[in-house]
Amino acid sequence: MSLWTNILERADLRSRERRAASAHREAMRALQEALSAAESAQKTRDQFLARMSHELRTPLNAVIGLSRVLEKNSAGNMRPEDLHLLGRVRAGGEQLLRLVEDVLDQSRIEGGGVPLAISDADVVGIATNVVKQYRSAAAAKGLRMLPVLPESAPTVRLDPGRFEQVLTNLVDNAVKFTVSGDVKVTLASDAATRKPTRMIVSDTGIGIPEDQLDVIFQPFQQVDASARRSFGGAGLGLPLARQLCEGMGCRLTVESESGRGSRFTIRFPGA
Ligand code: ADP
């Protein structure tokens, strides 16, 4: 190889190295820009969610709270028909509030997760409370609400508020999708240690076809579109419930048979 060829080849190599270094710098700069754009979009989204959450919840809470005050009928001047209508205003407000909260939670999960506050949760107390809340809705449909709960049990490491949200969703569905029979809320515990292992919500309702058992855990999915007209709901409860359970180290599963009923099980961490 002549000296000239050697010099030319080295110069070419240096020039290619320079081009590669400059392309690398350019790619890093583009990456940095994309990253800060994503961070700023995330910040805007968080601010929007916090703001919407406040703006929607405040008036809804006023509608619900004031309806409750009026429903007490302290002055005794409301007719039963008025009280019935007020009850419907309150129930509509509560339904809307749940929907707003589900939509906000779903967006939070998609945007990086819902913060959880794990502590020692009294699962019997929480389940008793949820059963109490649904007693009158179940009775109005002629359903029996059967809590199969011990007097007390050791606590479970969970986010108590989020666990109550999941259980409320399961009981709400059980009451909604059951025409006759009963809804049971059962705590299963380890026979030796008394430690709770599972919370089960079972019903004798319309059931879920086998090919839909996975689909119902996807956002905005319901067993059939006509059900949306007759039962309402947005199809957000179960996907949220499953993701919240996973975040708390629990597992949410379902067994069901069309026309015979459904059984949703929350398996506690380590059980
Ligand atoms: P929503 O109840 O708001 O529609 P969910 O995510 O909680 O949303 O439930 C999704 C769908 O799963 C329901 O629309 C219904 O078709 C089905 N489903 C849930 N729970 C039950 C149940 N206990 N019995 C029968 N079907 C159920």
Side-chain angles (χ1 to χ4, degrees), residues 99 102 169-178 201-209 212 215-224 227-228 231-241 254 256 261-264:
L99 181 63
D102 280 0
N169 185 265
L170 298 181
V171 174
D172 190 87
N173 279 344
V175 172
K176 189 159 74 172
F177 295 109
T178 303
V201 178
S202 49
D203 64 59
T204 53
I206 61 171
I208 303 159
Q212 299 288 309
V215 176
I216 55 170
F217 288 100
Q218 291 163 21
F220 303 108
Q221 296 297 325
Q222 294 174 316
V223 166
D224 84 77
R228 188 171 310 161
F231 296 106
L236 276 178
L238 287 178
L240 260 179
V254 60
S256 184
S262 308
R263 180 185 163 93
F264 286 84

Side-chain angles (χ1 to χ4, degrees), residues 8-84:
L8 285 175
E9 271 186 3
R10 276 179 190 213
D12 183 47
L13 186 67
R14 269 201 298 275
S15 139
R16 267 189 282 155
E17 275 171 3
R18 268 199 302 274
R19 277 202 302 276
S22 139
H24 182 249
R25 269 198 306 277
E26 185 56 31
M28 287 303 285
R29 204 179 52 77
L31 200 65
Q32 276 297 341
E33 269 175 17
L35 204 66
S36 55
E39 275 167 4
S40 134
Q42 173 76 35
K43 219 185 216 163
T44 310
R45 176 196 180 115
D46 288 351
Q47 280 168 353
F48 172 76
L49 284 178
R51 182 101 195 238
M52 284 313 279
S53 157
H54 179 74
E55 297 297 324
L56 291 169
R57 265 193 261 211
T58 309
L60 271 176
N61 277 323
V63 170
I64 297 166
L66 296 178
S67 304
R68 281 197 188 124
V69 172
L70 287 174
E71 274 183 291
K72 286 197 180 129
N73 197 14
S74 314
N77 57 358
M78 304 251 295
R79 297 171 307 160
E81 312 79 282
D82 299 331
L83 289 172
H84 173 72

Side-chain angles (χ1 to χ4, degrees), residues 57-183:
R57 265 193 261 211
T58 309
L60 271 176
N61 277 323
V63 170
I64 297 166
L66 296 178
S67 304
R68 281 197 188 124
V69 172
L70 287 174
E71 274 183 291
K72 286 197 180 129
N73 197 14
S74 314
N77 57 358
M78 304 251 295
R79 297 171 307 160
E81 312 79 282
D82 299 331
L83 289 172
H84 173 72
L85 292 177
L86 253 181
R88 289 182 56 181
V89 170
R90 179 187 39 78
E94 285 169 348
Q95 196 181 342
L96 196 53
L97 186 61
R98 266 200 304 275
L99 181 63
V100 165
E101 282 173 349
D102 280 0
V103 170
L104 290 169
D105 279 347
Q106 184 62 34
S107 314
R108 274 192 203 109
I109 283 178
E110 283 167 12
V114 174
L116 295 170
I118 306 287
S119 62
D120 291 324
D122 168 17
V123 289
V124 175
I126 294 170
T128 308
N129 200 19
V130 174
V131 166
K132 206 152 73 183
Q133 278 175 42
Y134 279 88
R135 252 189 212 298
S136 62
K141 290 182 75 178
L143 304 176
R144 277 179 311 171
M145 188 68 149
L146 304 173
V148 187
L149 303 165
E151 284 271 297
S152 68
T155 55
V156 180
R157 297 288 296 168
L158 290 170
D159 179 326
R162 294 298 184 177
F163 176 66
E164 179 158 355
Q165 179 182 349
V166 170
L167 199 57
T168 301
N169 185 265
L170 298 181
V171 174
D172 190 87
N173 279 344
V175 172
K176 189 159 74 172
F177 295 109
T178 303
V179 181
S180 65
D182 47 56
V183 170

Side-chain angles (χ1 to χ4, degrees), residues 195-263:
K195 267 184 82 114
T197 53
R198 282 161 297 147
M199 186 71 80
I200 301 147
V201 178
S202 49
D203 64 59
T204 53
I206 61 171
I208 303 159
E210 206 182 334
D211 64 347
Q212 299 288 309
L213 289 176
D214 285 333
V215 176
I216 55 170
F217 288 100
Q218 291 163 21
F220 303 108
Q221 296 297 325
Q222 294 174 316
V223 166
D224 84 77
S226 62
R228 188 171 310 161
R229 279 193 296 278
S230 38
F231 296 106
L236 276 178
L238 287 178
L240 260 179
R242 179 166 268 179
Q243 291 179 80
L244 289 173
C245 278
E246 276 169 14
M248 294 189 287
C250 299
R251 245 169 68 74
L252 173 62
T253 53
V254 60
E255 298 148 78
S256 184
E257 210 180 315
S258 264
R260 309 211 48 167
S262 308
R263 180 185 163 93

